[in-house]
Amino acid sequence: MQRFFHPPVDQWERLLKRPTANLTEIEPLVAEVFSAVRKKGDLAVKKYTEKFDKVQISSLEVNQAELKQAQNEISPDLQRSIQSAKRNIEAFHKAQKTSKVQVETQPGVLCWQEKRPIEKVGLYVPGGSAPLFSTLLMLAIPAQIAGCREIILCTPPNSSGIIPAVIRYTASLCGIQKIFKVGGIQSIAAMTFGTESIPSVYKIFGPGNQYVTLAKQWATRYHVSIDMPAGPSELLVMADKSADVDFIAADLLSQAEHGPDSQVIFVTTEPSLLDKVQNAIEDQLMTLPRRSIAEKALEHSKLICLPTAELAQNFINAYGPEHYILCVEDESEYLLNLHNAGSVFIGKYTPESAGDYASGTNHTLPTNGYSKQYSGVNLDSFTKSITFQKISEKGIKGLGETIMHMASAEGLQAHKNAVSIRLKKISDGL
Amino acid sequence: MQRFFHPPVDQWERLLKRPTANLTEIEPLVAEVFSAVRKKGDLAVKKYTEKFDKVQISSLEVNQAELKQAQNEISPDLQRSIQSAKRNIEAFHKAQKTSKVQVETQPGVLCWQEKRPIEKVGLYVPGGSAPLFSTLLMLAIPAQIAGCREIILCTPPNSSGIIPAVIRYTASLCGIQKIFKVGGIQSIAAMTFGTESIPSVYKIFGPGNQYVTLAKQWATRYHVSIDMPAGPSELLVMADKSADVDFIAADLLSQAEHGPDSQVIFVTTEPSLLDKVQNAIEDQLMTLPRRSIAEKALEHSKLICLPTAELAQNFINAYGPEHYILCVEDESEYLLNLHNAGSVFIGKYTPESAGDYASGTNHTLPTNGYSKQYSGVNLDSFTKSITFQKISEKGIKGLGETIMHMASAEGLQAHKNAVSIRLKKISDGL
């Protein structure tokens, strides 16, 4: 781990930087797959699944029997845990519902804003070393609460051509009926253009490797929107001497085990913590099954001591962490001065794992400093707002003059006419 | 104008299509300007301003004297109108403020969501034939209400190197102090990278021509986000026999005068309206100053009669109009079945002009069918939501088991450890 003691502000840039993968190299591949899927539909999807996932799929959609069977394949303990997590995530996301905002801005001029669900959404859940059913909970639950009419799931098949039981179970539990055994670039292309089996959608959600990340960006060229730009997962822990170093070390390691490119940052105002945290990490690392992954992530992770709370707060805002654990005596000062973060975990009994799985908050969050301008996935991610207005005769008489002056000043006579023709008919008593 | 009588559903695709400009041709130019501005800052900005806007600018920022002087250069009537519009827009956007959403998802597990302003935002107001001060109102007012700390404005200078007085007046009125005399690609590049004079921002808002549109898309490669993808403005009017054809014609023309690429669609279930609306348009067109522009837009505009209200509603949802005027007897049925639109204008006294200028709703809206997944600019466009959680000793004891089962099932032992290490210390009484 790299250590920095009181780094001057003009040297922060290097500390704030994420290792950015250059995705231009894989652009030609993404373009090729998109073009093939657009032209050949299912045939191309199956071809690339065979090529990349090394498995032949005859029917892309998971059938009802496979869905029903899932329940028998996973332990009652895990089922109960997933149900508990679902209840919490549901409670938190249901609370995000907003009601119609309505204002009579001047007499007879009634304006309102309503949110309506995005009709068709596509969820992506990556495969890889373990089935990430928690991501499915985080996407499917708000999509259902928002009322999206068509919710589809794409996730890569394993080497036997099947979707892990826990993913099928979670999908069923969340009421997702349309699951497709397809991952990678070909799945994003399929949800963009639609194929014989896979419907096209308006917005695509979910994390993925660099191929999926670039494919999602590519999809935005074709009238599809995406949840947010993605990058490797990150955690910043801020602690003072009131914190428990074993907890801090465990939290930093929980981030480090995600992947070799995970970002792990420890910030403190207490110099003695640098040694203590590093020692605790080394102790706990020994017994980790994913030790070699965590070690790689730790190589470029940073332990930083800053001289004052104010500088620490500035640093954290400049970094804009995806996950931010705050273990200090004066929490409220840090929270008051926080501008940029995805999700914040406060106090010694609030590990990042809680939010990753089961406390209720969403774990699909902006990385790579994007918390400066992006929200994590939330209920509104699955809706769009529409404004409405209804103006009465009295209303247009009161507002007309203003509109006409402004339209004239912008040189838009027809805009003015749309008002004057109404005012004239009113005054003519027509 | 093109007419379609009861077009069958399988032929709608052609009617729903927007003429999409191919922007790839101008990509090399955008790339060149971005690269030059990144490397050479103000020098490059000035060079391209001279090249594209045919004017030499010595100081890019509008000075205090230019700001103060503005008030003397525009009529009191126009000032009062701008102030009235500002009051309405403020009232509607202030009402969109949401409060903290807080839920104790299970005992001792407290989760909440708060919105915080995006710290640095850049507003773009195009130049062109007339100064679009209304767009400045629509962007600056919600940015101020959201509490964005740094709000800058870029807008092209006129041929004398100055910014129109009405833009300077409106900026002052809205409390915007940093105005830069720069437009086009070079302004978007400057807000992306920052120059000696122009600060970089996190999010860029505002309409523009195809160069600005592509430049905004380009900016998203460099850690900047944008309000939405842009396209030519659109209006769809839905009317039945209860509507006033003169009003409909005036509204359609107010859209047609925007530009030759404006999209104008009239939908009805009443066959006799096709003739009547066309005649009214031809009458009103004669006296329009921007007649030649409107005529070009009308060439590809469409008058469509559909046999039933249900089909009309399906068509409107499939089109997803930016502006949607609804003049029918049974409004509520149409509103209930509406899924996709930017802003809706209801009833005979509600012209689109009202929302363009002064009723209170925002006029920066999704075009080109993007209302299916994008909101128009609103207060939330200038904020991002952050989630927080604080778990007590009791909370982690209640939630721990669930997290540990799920982490194990995903093969993430360190995630499990972050909980078990806490539970162990609690049970050991440490």
Side-chain angles (χ1 to χ4, degrees), chain A residues 235-252 265-274 276-278 302-309 312-313 315-316 323-331 334 345-348, chain B residues 422:
Chain A
L235 169 65
L236 184 149
V237 176
M238 169 70 215
D240 64 13
K241 60 181 185 299
S242 72
D244 182 308
V245 290
D246 294 326
F247 296 175
I248 294 172
D251 292 332
L252 292 169
I265 309 273
F266 174 66
V267 179
T268 185
T269 47
E270 173 56 43
S272 69
L273 281 187
L274 296 184
K276 288 180 187 160
V277 167
Q278 180 145 13
K302 298 175 185 76
L303 306 171
I304 302 167
C305 181
L306 288 163
T308 66
Q313 289 154 16
F315 182 88
I316 293 159
H323 303 100
Y324 170 30
I325 294 183
L326 179 63
C327 282
V328 296
E329 267 173 322
D330 192 359
E331 290 165 9
Y334 276 81
F345 302 77
I346 304 161
K348 64 195 284 195
Chain B
R422 284 168 164 94

Short mmCIF file of all heavy atoms in Angstrom, two decimals, chain A residues 235-252 265-274 276-278 302-309 312-313 315-316 323-331 334 345-348, chain B residues 422:
data_model
loop_
_atom_site.label_atom_id
_atom_site.label_comp_id
_atom_site.label_asym_id
_atom_site.label_seq_id
_atom_site.Cartn_x
_atom_site.Cartn_y
_atom_site.Cartn_z
N LEU A 235 -13.86 2.33 -2.66
CA LEU A 235 -14.23 2.64 -1.28
C LEU A 235 -13.23 3.63 -0.71
O LEU A 235 -12.02 3.46 -0.86
CB LEU A 235 -14.21 1.37 -0.43
CG LEU A 235 -14.32 1.58 1.09
CD1 LEU A 235 -15.66 2.18 1.48
CD2 LEU A 235 -14.09 0.27 1.84
N LEU A 236 -13.74 4.67 -0.07
CA LEU A 236 -12.90 5.56 0.70
C LEU A 236 -13.37 5.49 2.15
O LEU A 236 -14.57 5.64 2.42
CB LEU A 236 -12.97 6.99 0.16
CG LEU A 236 -12.06 8.03 0.84
CD1 LEU A 236 -11.64 9.12 -0.16
CD2 LEU A 236 -12.68 8.68 2.06
N VAL A 237 -12.44 5.20 3.05
CA VAL A 237 -12.76 5.21 4.48
C VAL A 237 -12.10 6.43 5.12
O VAL A 237 -10.90 6.66 4.92
CB VAL A 237 -12.25 3.94 5.18
CG1 VAL A 237 -12.53 4.01 6.69
CG2 VAL A 237 -12.90 2.70 4.59
N MET A 238 -12.89 7.20 5.84
CA MET A 238 -12.35 8.32 6.61
C MET A 238 -12.51 7.97 8.09
O MET A 238 -13.62 7.66 8.54
CB MET A 238 -13.14 9.59 6.27
CG MET A 238 -12.87 10.78 7.19
SD MET A 238 -11.20 11.46 6.93
CE MET A 238 -10.80 11.95 8.64
N ALA A 239 -11.41 8.00 8.83
CA ALA A 239 -11.51 7.63 10.25
C ALA A 239 -10.62 8.54 11.09
O ALA A 239 -9.60 9.04 10.61
CB ALA A 239 -11.09 6.19 10.43
N ASP A 240 -11.03 8.76 12.33
CA ASP A 240 -10.13 9.40 13.29
C ASP A 240 -9.85 8.39 14.40
O ASP A 240 -10.18 7.21 14.28
CB ASP A 240 -10.72 10.72 13.82
CG ASP A 240 -12.00 10.51 14.60
OD1 ASP A 240 -12.33 9.36 14.96
OD2 ASP A 240 -12.69 11.52 14.85
N LYS A 241 -9.25 8.86 15.48
CA LYS A 241 -8.79 7.89 16.48
C LYS A 241 -9.93 7.18 17.21
O LYS A 241 -9.72 6.19 17.90
CB LYS A 241 -7.80 8.54 17.45
CG LYS A 241 -8.33 9.72 18.25
CD LYS A 241 -7.21 10.27 19.15
CE LYS A 241 -7.73 11.39 20.07
NZ LYS A 241 -8.28 12.56 19.35
N SER A 242 -11.15 7.67 17.04
CA SER A 242 -12.30 7.00 17.67
C SER A 242 -12.66 5.68 16.95
O SER A 242 -13.45 4.89 17.45
CB SER A 242 -13.53 7.93 17.65
OG SER A 242 -14.03 8.05 16.33
N ALA A 243 -12.07 5.45 15.78
CA ALA A 243 -12.48 4.30 14.96
C ALA A 243 -11.81 3.00 15.42
O ALA A 243 -10.79 3.02 16.10
CB ALA A 243 -12.13 4.57 13.50
N ASP A 244 -12.41 1.88 15.03
CA ASP A 244 -11.86 0.56 15.32
C ASP A 244 -11.05 0.09 14.11
O ASP A 244 -11.61 -0.13 13.03
CB ASP A 244 -13.02 -0.41 15.61
CG ASP A 244 -12.53 -1.80 15.98
OD1 ASP A 244 -11.72 -2.37 15.22
OD2 ASP A 244 -12.97 -2.31 17.03
N VAL A 245 -9.74 -0.05 14.27
CA VAL A 245 -8.91 -0.34 13.10
C VAL A 245 -9.22 -1.71 12.48
O VAL A 245 -9.05 -1.90 11.28
CB VAL A 245 -7.38 -0.27 13.40
CG1 VAL A 245 -6.97 1.19 13.64
CG2 VAL A 245 -6.98 -1.14 14.55
N ASP A 246 -9.66 -2.66 13.28
CA ASP A 246 -9.99 -3.97 12.71
C ASP A 246 -11.19 -3.86 11.77
O ASP A 246 -11.24 -4.50 10.71
CB ASP A 246 -10.31 -4.97 13.82
CG ASP A 246 -9.08 -5.26 14.68
OD1 ASP A 246 -7.97 -5.27 14.13
OD2 ASP A 246 -9.25 -5.43 15.90
N PHE A 247 -12.15 -3.06 12.16
CA PHE A 247 -13.32 -2.85 11.29
C PHE A 247 -12.89 -2.14 9.99
O PHE A 247 -13.31 -2.53 8.89
CB PHE A 247 -14.38 -1.99 12.00
CG PHE A 247 -14.97 -2.63 13.24
CD1 PHE A 247 -15.87 -1.92 14.04
CD2 PHE A 247 -14.65 -3.93 13.62
CE1 PHE A 247 -16.43 -2.49 15.17
CE2 PHE A 247 -15.21 -4.51 14.75
CZ PHE A 247 -16.10 -3.79 15.53
N ILE A 248 -12.03 -1.13 10.16
CA ILE A 248 -11.57 -0.41 8.97
C ILE A 248 -10.86 -1.35 8.01
O ILE A 248 -11.12 -1.36 6.80
CB ILE A 248 -10.60 0.73 9.37
CG1 ILE A 248 -11.35 1.79 10.17
CG2 ILE A 248 -9.97 1.36 8.13
CD1 ILE A 248 -10.44 2.84 10.77
N ALA A 249 -9.98 -2.16 8.56
CA ALA A 249 -9.22 -3.10 7.72
C ALA A 249 -10.17 -4.07 7.01
O ALA A 249 -10.01 -4.36 5.81
CB ALA A 249 -8.21 -3.86 8.57
N ALA A 250 -11.15 -4.57 7.74
CA ALA A 250 -12.11 -5.51 7.13
C ALA A 250 -12.88 -4.84 6.00
O ALA A 250 -13.12 -5.45 4.95
CB ALA A 250 -13.08 -6.02 8.21
N ASP A 251 -13.24 -3.58 6.20
CA ASP A 251 -13.99 -2.86 5.16
C ASP A 251 -13.13 -2.62 3.92
O ASP A 251 -13.58 -2.81 2.79
CB ASP A 251 -14.51 -1.53 5.71
CG ASP A 251 -15.60 -1.72 6.76
OD1 ASP A 251 -16.30 -2.75 6.71
OD2 ASP A 251 -15.74 -0.85 7.64
N LEU A 252 -11.88 -2.19 4.16
CA LEU A 252 -10.99 -1.94 3.02
C LEU A 252 -10.77 -3.24 2.24
O LEU A 252 -10.76 -3.24 1.01
CB LEU A 252 -9.66 -1.36 3.51
CG LEU A 252 -9.75 0.07 4.09
CD1 LEU A 252 -8.44 0.46 4.81
CD2 LEU A 252 -10.06 1.11 3.00
N ILE A 265 -9.10 3.50 -0.65
CA ILE A 265 -8.43 4.70 -0.13
C ILE A 265 -8.75 4.82 1.36
O ILE A 265 -9.91 4.72 1.76
CB ILE A 265 -8.96 5.97 -0.83
CG1 ILE A 265 -8.90 5.85 -2.36
CG2 ILE A 265 -8.22 7.21 -0.32
CD1 ILE A 265 -7.61 6.23 -2.99
N PHE A 266 -7.72 5.05 2.16
CA PHE A 266 -7.94 5.32 3.57
C PHE A 266 -7.45 6.73 3.87
O PHE A 266 -6.32 7.09 3.56
CB PHE A 266 -7.19 4.30 4.44
CG PHE A 266 -7.27 4.62 5.91
CD1 PHE A 266 -8.49 4.55 6.58
CD2 PHE A 266 -6.14 5.01 6.62
CE1 PHE A 266 -8.57 4.87 7.93
CE2 PHE A 266 -6.23 5.33 7.97
CZ PHE A 266 -7.44 5.26 8.62
N VAL A 267 -8.31 7.54 4.48
CA VAL A 267 -7.94 8.91 4.82
C VAL A 267 -8.12 9.09 6.32
O VAL A 267 -9.10 8.61 6.90
CB VAL A 267 -8.83 9.93 4.07
CG1 VAL A 267 -8.46 11.36 4.44
CG2 VAL A 267 -8.72 9.75 2.56
N THR A 268 -7.18 9.77 6.93
CA THR A 268 -7.29 10.03 8.36
C THR A 268 -6.60 11.35 8.69
O THR A 268 -5.79 11.86 7.91
CB THR A 268 -6.66 8.89 9.19
OG1 THR A 268 -6.89 9.14 10.58
CG2 THR A 268 -5.15 8.78 8.93
N THR A 269 -6.95 11.89 9.86
CA THR A 269 -6.22 13.05 10.38
C THR A 269 -5.32 12.61 11.53
O THR A 269 -4.64 13.43 12.13
CB THR A 269 -7.22 14.11 10.91
OG1 THR A 269 -8.19 13.46 11.75
CG2 THR A 269 -7.93 14.80 9.77
N GLU A 270 -5.33 11.32 11.83
CA GLU A 270 -4.60 10.78 12.98
C GLU A 270 -3.40 9.95 12.49
O GLU A 270 -3.57 8.82 12.02
CB GLU A 270 -5.56 9.89 13.78
CG GLU A 270 -4.97 9.11 14.91
CD GLU A 270 -4.24 9.98 15.93
OE1 GLU A 270 -4.78 11.06 16.27
OE2 GLU A 270 -3.13 9.59 16.35
N PRO A 271 -2.17 10.50 12.57
CA PRO A 271 -1.00 9.83 11.99
C PRO A 271 -0.81 8.38 12.44
O PRO A 271 -0.45 7.51 11.63
CB PRO A 271 0.18 10.70 12.46
CG PRO A 271 -0.42 12.04 12.74
CD PRO A 271 -1.82 11.79 13.21
N SER A 272 -1.11 8.11 13.70
CA SER A 272 -0.84 6.76 14.21
C SER A 272 -1.69 5.69 13.53
O SER A 272 -1.36 4.50 13.55
CB SER A 272 -1.06 6.71 15.72
OG SER A 272 -2.44 6.85 16.00
N LEU A 273 -2.78 6.09 12.91
CA LEU A 273 -3.67 5.10 12.28
C LEU A 273 -3.05 4.46 11.03
O LEU A 273 -3.41 3.36 10.66
CB LEU A 273 -5.01 5.73 11.92
CG LEU A 273 -6.02 5.92 13.05
CD1 LEU A 273 -7.36 6.39 12.50
CD2 LEU A 273 -6.23 4.61 13.82
N LEU A 274 -2.13 5.16 10.38
CA LEU A 274 -1.56 4.61 9.15
C LEU A 274 -0.93 3.24 9.41
O LEU A 274 -1.22 2.27 8.71
CB LEU A 274 -0.53 5.58 8.55
CG LEU A 274 -1.04 6.93 8.07
CD1 LEU A 274 0.07 7.74 7.40
CD2 LEU A 274 -2.20 6.77 7.08
N LYS A 276 -1.35 1.32 12.10
CA LYS A 276 -2.32 0.39 12.70
C LYS A 276 -3.22 -0.24 11.64
O LYS A 276 -3.48 -1.45 11.67
CB LYS A 276 -3.18 1.11 13.75
CG LYS A 276 -2.41 1.45 15.02
CD LYS A 276 -3.33 2.16 16.02
CE LYS A 276 -2.53 2.66 17.22
NZ LYS A 276 -3.26 3.72 17.94
N VAL A 277 -3.70 0.58 10.71
CA VAL A 277 -4.59 0.05 9.67
C VAL A 277 -3.82 -0.91 8.76
O VAL A 277 -4.30 -1.99 8.42
CB VAL A 277 -5.24 1.20 8.87
CG1 VAL A 277 -5.90 0.69 7.60
CG2 VAL A 277 -6.27 1.92 9.74
N GLN A 278 -2.61 -0.51 8.40
CA GLN A 278 -1.82 -1.38 7.52
C GLN A 278 -1.56 -2.74 8.18
O GLN A 278 -1.71 -3.80 7.55
CB GLN A 278 -0.51 -0.71 7.15
CG GLN A 278 0.35 -1.59 6.24
CD GLN A 278 1.15 -0.81 5.22
OE1 GLN A 278 1.29 0.42 5.32
NE2 GLN A 278 1.69 -1.50 4.23
N LYS A 302 -4.24 3.40 -1.32
CA LYS A 302 -3.51 4.51 -0.69
C LYS A 302 -3.96 4.75 0.74
O LYS A 302 -5.16 4.75 1.03
CB LYS A 302 -3.73 5.79 -1.51
CG LYS A 302 -3.19 5.68 -2.93
CD LYS A 302 -3.51 6.90 -3.78
CE LYS A 302 -3.04 6.69 -5.22
NZ LYS A 302 -3.91 5.78 -6.02
N LEU A 303 -2.99 4.98 1.62
CA LEU A 303 -3.25 5.40 2.99
C LEU A 303 -2.77 6.85 3.10
O LEU A 303 -1.61 7.13 2.84
CB LEU A 303 -2.45 4.55 3.99
CG LEU A 303 -2.61 3.03 3.90
CD1 LEU A 303 -1.59 2.32 4.79
CD2 LEU A 303 -4.02 2.63 4.31
N ILE A 304 -3.68 7.73 3.45
CA ILE A 304 -3.36 9.16 3.38
C ILE A 304 -3.65 9.84 4.71
O ILE A 304 -4.77 9.73 5.23
CB ILE A 304 -4.19 9.84 2.26
CG1 ILE A 304 -3.91 9.17 0.91
CG2 ILE A 304 -3.90 11.34 2.21
CD1 ILE A 304 -4.89 9.55 -0.19
N CYS A 305 -2.68 10.54 5.26
CA CYS A 305 -2.93 11.34 6.45
C CYS A 305 -2.93 12.82 6.07
O CYS A 305 -1.99 13.31 5.42
CB CYS A 305 -1.85 11.07 7.50
SG CYS A 305 -2.15 12.02 9.01
N LEU A 306 -4.00 13.49 6.43
CA LEU A 306 -4.10 14.93 6.14
C LEU A 306 -4.14 15.69 7.47
O LEU A 306 -4.62 15.16 8.48
CB LEU A 306 -5.34 15.21 5.30
CG LEU A 306 -5.21 14.72 3.85
CD1 LEU A 306 -6.56 14.63 3.16
CD2 LEU A 306 -4.27 15.62 3.05
N PRO A 307 -3.61 16.93 7.47
CA PRO A 307 -3.43 17.61 8.75
C PRO A 307 -4.71 18.08 9.43
O PRO A 307 -4.75 18.17 10.65
CB PRO A 307 -2.53 18.80 8.39
CG PRO A 307 -2.63 18.97 6.92
CD PRO A 307 -2.96 17.64 6.35
N THR A 308 -5.76 18.39 8.66
CA THR A 308 -6.97 18.93 9.30
C THR A 308 -8.23 18.27 8.73
O THR A 308 -8.22 17.72 7.62
CB THR A 308 -7.12 20.45 9.04
OG1 THR A 308 -7.34 20.64 7.63
CG2 THR A 308 -5.88 21.23 9.48
N ALA A 309 -9.30 18.35 9.49
CA ALA A 309 -10.59 17.83 9.05
C ALA A 309 -11.04 18.55 7.78
O ALA A 309 -11.58 17.94 6.86
CB ALA A 309 -11.64 18.00 10.15
N ALA A 312 -9.26 17.14 4.89
CA ALA A 312 -9.79 15.80 4.62
C ALA A 312 -11.11 15.89 3.86
O ALA A 312 -11.34 15.18 2.88
CB ALA A 312 -9.96 15.04 5.92
N GLN A 313 -11.97 16.80 4.31
CA GLN A 313 -13.28 16.98 3.64
C GLN A 313 -13.09 17.44 2.18
O GLN A 313 -13.78 16.98 1.27
CB GLN A 313 -14.14 17.97 4.41
CG GLN A 313 -14.64 17.40 5.73
CD GLN A 313 -14.94 18.47 6.77
OE1 GLN A 313 -15.05 19.65 6.44
NE2 GLN A 313 -15.06 18.05 8.02
N PHE A 315 -10.52 16.85 0.32
CA PHE A 315 -9.98 15.73 -0.44
C PHE A 315 -11.09 14.76 -0.84
O PHE A 315 -11.17 14.31 -1.99
CB PHE A 315 -8.90 15.01 0.37
CG PHE A 315 -8.26 13.87 -0.37
CD1 PHE A 315 -7.15 14.10 -1.19
CD2 PHE A 315 -8.77 12.58 -0.30
CE1 PHE A 315 -6.58 13.06 -1.91
CE2 PHE A 315 -8.20 11.53 -1.02
CZ PHE A 315 -7.10 11.78 -1.83
N ILE A 316 -11.95 14.46 0.12
CA ILE A 316 -13.04 13.50 -0.13
C ILE A 316 -13.99 14.03 -1.22
O ILE A 316 -14.39 13.30 -2.13
CB ILE A 316 -13.79 13.20 1.19
CG1 ILE A 316 -12.85 12.44 2.13
CG2 ILE A 316 -15.07 12.40 0.92
CD1 ILE A 316 -13.24 12.50 3.59
N HIS A 323 -18.30 4.50 -2.68
CA HIS A 323 -18.67 4.14 -1.31
C HIS A 323 -17.81 4.96 -0.36
O HIS A 323 -16.60 5.08 -0.56
CB HIS A 323 -18.40 2.66 -1.03
CG HIS A 323 -19.10 1.73 -1.95
ND1 HIS A 323 -18.47 1.15 -3.03
CD2 HIS A 323 -20.38 1.27 -1.96
CE1 HIS A 323 -19.33 0.36 -3.66
NE2 HIS A 323 -20.50 0.43 -3.05
N TYR A 324 -18.41 5.46 0.70
CA TYR A 324 -17.68 6.32 1.63
C TYR A 324 -18.06 5.92 3.05
O TYR A 324 -19.21 6.07 3.45
CB TYR A 324 -18.07 7.78 1.33
CG TYR A 324 -17.61 8.83 2.31
CD1 TYR A 324 -16.44 8.69 3.06
CD2 TYR A 324 -18.35 10.00 2.48
CE1 TYR A 324 -16.03 9.68 3.94
CE2 TYR A 324 -17.95 10.99 3.35
CZ TYR A 324 -16.79 10.83 4.09
OH TYR A 324 -16.40 11.80 4.96
N ILE A 325 -17.10 5.35 3.76
CA ILE A 325 -17.33 4.98 5.16
C ILE A 325 -16.77 6.09 6.05
O ILE A 325 -15.62 6.49 5.88
CB ILE A 325 -16.66 3.63 5.50
CG1 ILE A 325 -17.36 2.50 4.72
CG2 ILE A 325 -16.71 3.36 7.01
CD1 ILE A 325 -16.83 1.11 5.04
N LEU A 326 -17.59 6.56 6.96
CA LEU A 326 -17.21 7.68 7.82
C LEU A 326 -17.24 7.22 9.27
O LEU A 326 -18.31 6.94 9.81
CB LEU A 326 -18.20 8.83 7.59
CG LEU A 326 -18.00 10.10 8.41
CD1 LEU A 326 -16.66 10.75 8.09
CD2 LEU A 326 -19.14 11.08 8.13
N CYS A 327 -16.05 7.15 9.89
CA CYS A 327 -15.96 6.73 11.29
C CYS A 327 -15.20 7.78 12.07
O CYS A 327 -13.99 7.63 12.32
CB CYS A 327 -15.22 5.40 11.40
SG CYS A 327 -16.25 4.00 10.97
N VAL A 328 -15.88 8.86 12.42
CA VAL A 328 -15.21 9.94 13.16
C VAL A 328 -16.13 10.40 14.28
O VAL A 328 -17.34 10.14 14.26
CB VAL A 328 -14.90 11.16 12.24
CG1 VAL A 328 -13.92 10.79 11.14
CG2 VAL A 328 -16.18 11.72 11.61
N GLU A 329 -15.55 11.09 15.25
CA GLU A 329 -16.36 11.57 16.37
C GLU A 329 -17.37 12.62 15.91
O GLU A 329 -18.53 12.57 16.26
CB GLU A 329 -15.45 12.15 17.46
CG GLU A 329 -15.09 11.10 18.52
CD GLU A 329 -14.04 11.62 19.51
OE1 GLU A 329 -13.12 12.34 19.08
OE2 GLU A 329 -14.17 11.30 20.69
N ASP A 330 -16.86 13.56 15.10
CA ASP A 330 -17.75 14.64 14.68
C ASP A 330 -18.35 14.36 13.30
O ASP A 330 -18.02 15.03 12.31
CB ASP A 330 -17.00 15.97 14.69
CG ASP A 330 -17.96 17.15 14.54
OD1 ASP A 330 -19.18 16.91 14.42
OD2 ASP A 330 -17.50 18.30 14.54
N GLU A 331 -19.26 13.39 13.24
CA GLU A 331 -19.88 13.01 11.97
C GLU A 331 -20.57 14.18 11.28
O GLU A 331 -20.49 14.35 10.07
CB GLU A 331 -20.99 11.98 12.21
CG GLU A 331 -20.54 10.63 12.63
CD GLU A 331 -21.68 9.80 13.18
OE1 GLU A 331 -22.87 10.23 13.08
OE2 GLU A 331 -21.39 8.73 13.71
N TYR A 334 -18.64 16.46 9.04
CA TYR A 334 -18.25 15.83 7.77
C TYR A 334 -19.45 15.70 6.83
O TYR A 334 -19.34 15.90 5.62
CB TYR A 334 -17.63 14.44 8.03
CG TYR A 334 -16.16 14.50 8.37
CD1 TYR A 334 -15.73 14.81 9.65
CD2 TYR A 334 -15.20 14.30 7.39
CE1 TYR A 334 -14.37 14.88 9.96
CE2 TYR A 334 -13.84 14.36 7.68
CZ TYR A 334 -13.43 14.66 8.97
OH TYR A 334 -12.10 14.74 9.26
N PHE A 345 -21.66 5.47 4.54
CA PHE A 345 -21.84 4.49 5.61
C PHE A 345 -21.28 5.10 6.89
O PHE A 345 -20.08 5.37 6.96
CB PHE A 345 -21.13 3.18 5.26
CG PHE A 345 -21.61 2.59 3.96
CD1 PHE A 345 -21.20 3.11 2.74
CD2 PHE A 345 -22.52 1.55 3.96
CE1 PHE A 345 -21.66 2.59 1.55
CE2 PHE A 345 -22.99 1.01 2.77
CZ PHE A 345 -22.57 1.54 1.57
N ILE A 346 -22.13 5.33 7.87
CA ILE A 346 -21.74 6.15 9.01
C ILE A 346 -21.63 5.33 10.29
O ILE A 346 -22.57 4.61 10.67
CB ILE A 346 -22.78 7.28 9.21
CG1 ILE A 346 -22.92 8.09 7.92
CG2 ILE A 346 -22.36 8.19 10.37
CD1 ILE A 346 -24.19 8.91 7.85
N GLY A 347 -20.49 5.44 10.96
CA GLY A 347 -20.33 4.83 12.28
C GLY A 347 -19.75 3.44 12.23
O GLY A 347 -19.66 2.80 11.18
N LYS A 348 -19.35 2.92 13.40
CA LYS A 348 -18.56 1.69 13.44
C LYS A 348 -19.33 0.43 13.09
O LYS A 348 -18.74 -0.57 12.71
CB LYS A 348 -17.87 1.55 14.80
CG LYS A 348 -18.82 1.40 15.98
CD LYS A 348 -18.10 1.63 17.31
CE LYS A 348 -17.24 0.44 17.71
NZ LYS A 348 -16.85 0.52 19.14
N ARG B 422 -17.42 -7.58 13.37
CA ARG B 422 -18.19 -6.68 14.23
C ARG B 422 -19.04 -7.48 15.22
O ARG B 422 -19.08 -7.19 16.41
CB ARG B 422 -19.06 -5.75 13.38
CG ARG B 422 -18.24 -4.62 12.71
CD ARG B 422 -19.02 -3.89 11.64
NE ARG B 422 -18.43 -2.61 11.24
CZ ARG B 422 -17.59 -2.45 10.20
NH1 ARG B 422 -17.24 -3.48 9.45
NH2 ARG B 422 -17.11 -1.24 9.92
#
